Amino acid sequence: MLFMRELSGAVAASRVAEIMSALSDRGVENAVAGISQSDKAGAKTFEAMLAEADEALVRARHFGRQVMRFDEIVDQRPATCRGLILIADDDPDVV
């Protein structure tokens, strides 16, 4: 978790992308980051920002990106799925 005061979401995302690139150069694979931002101190609770960053992280993984901002609009298809597992059962007693 990073707090980057006085940076816009775009600038913070750029800095985090640099960090992720350095990690990748050192052999750290599959690292992903989600970014939340607030325009004004205290405008969002810590919990709200953490939830937004988590949602951005999920979307980054879904779209195959290393870094994604919560407020970012993505106009692309999801990353290629490696596999799909479907579990189904018609027994009403099985929860």
Side-chain angles (χ1 to χ4, degrees):
M1 185 174 306
L2 297 173
F3 290 97
M4 298 178 159
R5 295 178 54 141
E6 300 183 19
L7 295 182
S8 70
V11 172
S14 177
R15 296 257 178 100
V16 171
E18 291 172 7
I19 294 168
M20 302 301 269
S21 180
L23 288 172
S24 182
D25 291 346
R26 289 177 174 79
V28 177
E29 299 296 324
N30 302 320
V32 180
I35 296 175
S36 173
Q37 74 181 61
S38 177
D39 295 329
K40 188 171 94 174
K44 295 180 186 177
T45 65
F46 172 78
E47 292 80 7
M49 291 187 73
L50 189 58
E52 287 180 1
D54 188 49
E55 174 64 25
L57 177 83
V58 169
R59 289 181 25 225
R61 287 180 191 236
H62 180 73
F63 288 108
R65 308 227 344 236
Q66 280 190 316
V67 180
M68 182 166 270
R69 295 186 333 259
F70 176 75
D71 64 349
E72 190 173 354
I73 306 293
V74 178
D75 187 23
Q76 70 183 52
R77 293 178 179 243
T80 304
C81 183
R82 294 187 188 141
L84 178 66
I85 299 173
L86 173 64
I87 301 174
D89 194 330
D90 62 354
D91 185 347
D93 294 328
V94 175
V95 177

